[in-house]
């Protein structure tokens, strides 16, 4: 039996990745009524499988993508100001030696990168002499010099979650684990059938505009829910990463040029680890089947070992993840040459609006949302003004340069927290930390301890305010505590979630984690 929702929404959005929640937040903030459904968990697809960077895309300059790079660089500092708790400035070192792209060519590219960058906060490019560095470089001695430039790091899955939280606070209705099964247009309205995979609930939703923001599944939604034959708009390109134990001290990252012309990064990760990736290969399978291959693991290890003093093997991998980027199919011959720009298609069907989003990158999600809103405004009429450029995401009321000061403030209130916990809370929740823990005066006041600094108070907050339903939701998307919790601790969390009826169906109805491999010692 289907439940029919009597409310008619202005905008219905299919897809709870960064583009979908970004549109939901912008639209709700302008006064439109919004309903968003995500078939799995928010950020469970491409949006949690990135290299965790807010950047212009230095390598895109080689392909003359100047507009994309400039737009991305402008967004870089806008997003940094919007969410300084989950987005941080990061310095990148580009080593150089004989046989690589010419030194003058790299310096020219970096000069253009700086010039296009709208920089007010981030420092510009400088030369690096590894021989004169006081601290030991993790690079092989063959690398004598290079360049250092600025970009930003982001907790990608929390960026999605916080956009969703803010959208909900502005009146949007968001539902994870809820799949669109059918959509028809008649008399100016979309009639959309949805099904909740946790409890089997079927619901009928009506809306004036439909936004297909389903990422890698955009063509699948068109085929299955809209009965569009031969829909092929995106090229699925797989990007895989590995995580190993911390390889070096310091907070700088390395951008490396591989022998095959590809670029990969070596990045400090979650304090105790190092992230290495990514690959760029045509996926060739369903977006539902994403997993790093043994060949990719070896490729990443060999690539890193060609730069680092310490040899990396597949035995060193403690975690790996893969995601597919739904790049707009522009006919490029190589996966790494396919455009990272977004393409928006807007059409009217029986006096209702249909918008499809193809491609895009996490850095430009806010601008993409504004583009979508231009189409919605022209169809439904203008409501509020564009507002997100100078906005803050929940918890991000702190200033960019004062994150360490906020950590000290948090430590002063919760003196019984470890420094590691304080750092994680500040860089995950920011000011929201006070909402989670309130006036707690001891660890005992936080409830059950699940390990790794995760307590019942935080888990309950994630269930009640961030739609967490499974241990994966909590340990790999709302945090990365799955890297350090033991199997026993994870099982205790699962038991707690079952007891609290947050995981109402068996595990086969929860998003599988086969594309997120964790190897426990």
């Amino acid at each position: 039996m289907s439940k029919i929702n009597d409310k008619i929404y202005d905008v219905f959005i299919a897809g709870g990745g960064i583009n979908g929640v970004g549109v939901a937040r912008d639209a709700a903030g302008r006064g439109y009524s919004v309903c968003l459904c995500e078939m799995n968990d928010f950020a469970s697809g491409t949006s949690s499988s990135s290299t965790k960077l807010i950047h212009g895309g230095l390598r895109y300059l080689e392909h003359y993508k100047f507009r994309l790079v400039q737009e991305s660089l402008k967004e870089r500092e806008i997003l940094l100001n919007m969410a300084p708790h989950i987005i941080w400035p990061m310095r990148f070192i580009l080593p150089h030696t004989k046989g690589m792209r010419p030194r003058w060519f790299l310096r020219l590219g970096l000069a253009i990168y700086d010039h296009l960058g709208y920089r007010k906060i981030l420092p510009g490019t400088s030369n690096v002499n590894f021989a004169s560095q006081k601290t030991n470089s993790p690079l092989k001695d063959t690398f004598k010099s290079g360049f250092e430039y600025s970009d930003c790091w982001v907790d990608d899955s929390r960026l999605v979650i916080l956009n969703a939280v803010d959208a909900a606070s502005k009146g949007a209705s968001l539902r994870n684990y809820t799949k669109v099964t059918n959509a028809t247009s008649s008399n100016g309205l979309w009639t959309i059938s949805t099904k909740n995979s946790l409890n089997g609930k079927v619901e009928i939703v009506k809306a004036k505009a439909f936004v297909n923001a389903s990422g890698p599944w955009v063509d699948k939604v068109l085929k299955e829910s809209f009965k569009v034959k031969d829909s092929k708009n995106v090229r699925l390109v797989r990007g895989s990463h590995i995580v190993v134990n911390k390889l070096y001290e310091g907070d700088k990252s390395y951008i490396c040029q591989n022998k095959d012309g590809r670029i990969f990064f070596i990045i400090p990760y979650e304090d105790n680890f190092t992230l290495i990736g990514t690959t760029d290969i045509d996926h060739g399978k369903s977006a539902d089947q994403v997993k790093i291959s043994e060949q990719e693991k070896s490729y990443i290890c060999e690539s890193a070992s060609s730069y680092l003093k310490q040899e990396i093997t597949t035995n060193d991998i403690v975690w790996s993840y893969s995601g597919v980027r739904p790049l707009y199919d522009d006919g490029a011959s190589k996966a790494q040459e396919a455009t990272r720009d977004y393409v928006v298609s807007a059409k009217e069907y029986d006096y209702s609006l249909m918008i499809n989003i193809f491609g895009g990158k996490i850095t430009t999600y806010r601008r993409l949302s504004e583009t979508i809103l231009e189409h919605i405004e022209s169809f439904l009429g203008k409501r509020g003004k564009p507002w997100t450029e100078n906005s803050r995401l929940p918890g991000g009321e702190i200033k960019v340069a004062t994150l360490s000061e906020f950590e000290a403030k948090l430590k002063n209130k919760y003196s019984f927290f470890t420094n590691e916990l304080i750092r994680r809370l500040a860089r995950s929740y920011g000011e929201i930390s006070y909402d989670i823990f309130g006036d707690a005066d001891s660890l005992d006041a936080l409830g059950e301890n699940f390990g790794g600094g995760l307590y019942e108070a935080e888990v309950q907050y994630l269930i009640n305010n961030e739609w967490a339903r499974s241990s994966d939701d909590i340990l790999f998307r709302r945090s990365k505590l799955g890297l350090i919790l033991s199997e026993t601790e994870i099982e205790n969390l699962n038991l707690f979630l079952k007891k609290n009826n947050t995981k109402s169906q068996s595990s086969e109805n929860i998003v599988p984690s086969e594309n997120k491999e964790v190897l426990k010692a």
Side-chain angles (χ1 to χ4, degrees):
M1 185 74 178
S2 299
K3 175 187 175 183
I4 299 177
N5 191 328
D6 293 331
K7 181 174 182 177
I8 297 176
Y9 291 94
D10 292 320
V11 182
F12 181 92
I13 302 167
I18 189 60
N19 289 336
V21 297
V23 173
R25 175 180 183 250
D26 195 342
R30 299 195 200 194
Y32 295 103
S33 57
V34 178
C35 179
L36 181 149
C37 290
E38 159 59 43
M39 66 176 180
N40 297 317
D41 184 28
F42 302 125
S44 59
T46 308
S47 296
S48 61
S49 302
S50 74
T51 312
K52 325 297 181 191
L53 300 180
I54 297 295
H55 66 139
L58 180 60
R59 69 185 178 90
Y60 304 151
L61 292 177
E62 272 191 318
H63 302 293
Y64 309 108
K65 304 293 185 181
F66 296 108
R67 189 205 60 77
L68 174 62
V69 172
Q70 186 172 46
E71 181 179 81
S72 300
L73 289 172
K74 185 177 181 180
E75 286 299 297
R76 186 178 60 181
E77 290 205 5
I78 291 174
L79 297 182
L80 177 58
N81 281 307
M82 183 189 294
H85 50 327
I86 62 167
I87 300 175
W88 323 323
M90 181 172 276
R91 293 292 279 176
F92 289 79
I93 294 175
L94 173 57
H96 184 267
T97 190
K98 291 180 180 180
M100 294 182 172
R101 294 167 175 87
R103 186 178 178 86
W104 66 265
F105 182 75
L106 295 176
R107 191 65 186 90
L108 176 61
L110 287 165
I112 295 173
Y113 202 68
D114 282 346
H115 180 70
L116 293 174
Y118 295 89
R119 291 182 300 106
K120 294 181 180 179
I121 301 172
L122 301 173
T125 298
S126 61
N127 295 320
V128 178
N129 186 331
F130 300 123
S132 65
Q133 287 185 339
K134 295 180 180 179
T135 55
N136 290 328
S137 168
L139 300 176
K140 289 181 176 179
D141 294 336
T142 52
F143 297 99
K144 306 294 184 184
S145 64
F147 305 97
E148 184 174 309
Y149 70 97
S150 294
D151 264 324
C152 292
W153 185 94
V154 62
D155 186 333
D156 53 4
S157 53
R158 286 215 57 77
L159 181 65
V160 176
I161 297 300
L162 292 179
N163 270 274
V165 168
D166 205 27
S169 75
K170 292 171 170 52
S173 174
L174 293 94
R175 307 160 194 182
N176 56 350
Y177 296 109
T178 303
K179 182 179 181 179
V180 173
T181 57
N182 191 53
T184 57
S185 176
S186 179
N187 300 320
L189 289 177
W190 287 104
T191 299
I192 304 131
S193 300
T194 68
K195 183 176 182 179
N196 186 297
S197 63
L198 300 181
N199 56 28
K201 177 183 174 183
V202 176
E203 186 175 3
I204 304 297
V205 180
K206 294 183 181 293
K208 301 170 186 175
F210 189 108
V211 179
N212 184 4
S214 48
W217 293 272
V218 63
D219 284 327
K220 186 175 181 179
V221 169
L222 288 172
K223 290 175 183 177
E224 294 184 357
S225 298
F226 291 87
K227 309 301 184 283
V228 177
K229 296 180 180 179
D230 302 321
S231 179
K232 191 180 187 306
N233 298 281
V234 293
R235 178 176 184 171
L236 301 185
V237 174
R238 188 168 71 245
S240 297
H241 299 75
I242 64 169
V243 173
V244 299
N245 286 317
K246 189 174 183 178
L247 294 175
Y248 58 92
E249 296 299 324
D251 58 1
K252 294 181 180 179
S253 295
Y254 293 84
I255 176 172
C256 305
Q257 312 167 64
N258 219 336
K259 292 178 181 178
D260 58 8
R262 294 177 180 173
I263 296 295
F264 70 95
F265 294 90
I266 303 173
I267 303 174
Y269 188 61
E270 297 294 320
D271 294 332
N272 299 312
F273 303 94
T274 300
L275 173 68
I276 309 174
T278 178
T279 57
D280 242 344
I281 60 175
D282 283 307
H283 182 50
K285 299 178 182 177
S286 165
D288 298 313
Q289 300 173 314
V290 187
K291 185 177 181 180
I292 187 171
S293 67
E294 292 302 316
Q295 183 179 3
E296 284 177 291
K297 290 179 183 179
S298 297
Y299 174 84
I300 296 173
C301 290
E302 290 168 6
S303 299
S305 296
S306 69
Y307 273 80
L308 299 171
K309 292 175 182 175
Q310 180 178 335
E311 184 181 1
I312 307 300
T313 72
T314 55
N315 293 328
D316 296 311
I317 299 174
V318 297
W319 188 46
S320 63
Y321 64 89
S322 288
V324 286
R325 306 179 187 96
L327 305 182
Y328 180 69
D329 194 350
D330 60 355
S333 58
K334 296 181 180 179
Q336 62 264 34
E337 293 176 358
T339 181
R340 266 57 178 175
D341 210 346
Y342 56 81
V343 174
V344 174
S345 169
K347 295 181 181 179
E348 290 187 29
Y349 293 88
D350 294 321
Y351 306 103
S352 57
L353 180 65
M354 172 69 172
I355 300 175
N356 290 294
I357 300 172
F358 308 116
K361 58 197 291 270
I362 195 168
T363 304
T364 54
Y365 89 91
R366 192 198 66 84
R367 278 292 298 122
L368 184 150
S369 299
E370 289 187 332
T371 300
I372 299 301
L373 263 295
E374 290 173 6
H375 291 287
I376 292 172
E377 283 181 340
S378 64
F379 180 74
L380 294 177
K382 195 169 184 177
R383 305 278 175 88
K385 296 179 180 179
W387 63 278
T388 58
E389 181 172 348
N390 297 308
S391 67
R392 297 285 182 133
L393 282 175
E397 295 79 11
I398 54 182
K399 294 181 179 179
V400 172
T402 60
L403 188 56
S404 59
E405 294 176 16
F406 176 74
E407 289 179 15
K409 182 181 173 184
L410 203 59
K411 181 68 174 178
N412 185 56
K413 180 170 179 64
Y414 303 110
S415 58
F416 50 93
F417 283 176
T418 64
N419 291 334
E420 292 78 11
L421 178 55
I422 289 291
R423 179 177 170 85
R424 180 176 70 81
L425 296 176
R427 293 166 186 257
S428 298
Y429 302 105
E431 294 277 356
I432 297 173
S433 302
Y434 299 117
D435 297 329
I436 298 173
F437 300 104
D439 294 325
D441 56 4
S442 68
L443 293 177
D444 290 339
L446 306 182
E448 187 173 349
N449 179 4
F450 298 102
L454 179 66
Y455 291 87
E456 184 177 339
E458 183 179 355
V459 171
Q460 287 289 6
Y461 172 83
L462 295 175
I463 293 170
N464 297 332
N465 298 278
E466 294 192 4
W467 302 273
R469 293 294 176 263
S470 74
S471 57
D472 267 11
D473 296 350
I474 293 170
L475 301 179
F476 287 101
R477 286 182 283 278
R478 277 87 181 154
S479 76
K480 289 296 181 288
L481 290 172
L483 285 170
I484 61 174
L485 262 63
S486 67
E487 291 182 5
T488 300
E489 290 169 331
I490 294 174
E491 182 55 31
N492 288 339
L493 176 60
N494 280 323
L495 291 173
F496 176 84
L497 295 173
K498 278 187 177 181
K499 185 173 65 176
N500 285 268
N501 295 318
T502 60
K503 188 174 175 183
S504 58
Q505 296 290 323
S506 59
S507 59
E508 63 261 27
N509 290 315
I510 302 297
V511 185
S513 297
E514 68 268 10
N515 64 322
K516 308 282 199 296
E517 298 184 354
V518 183
L519 305 178
K520 296 294 181 182

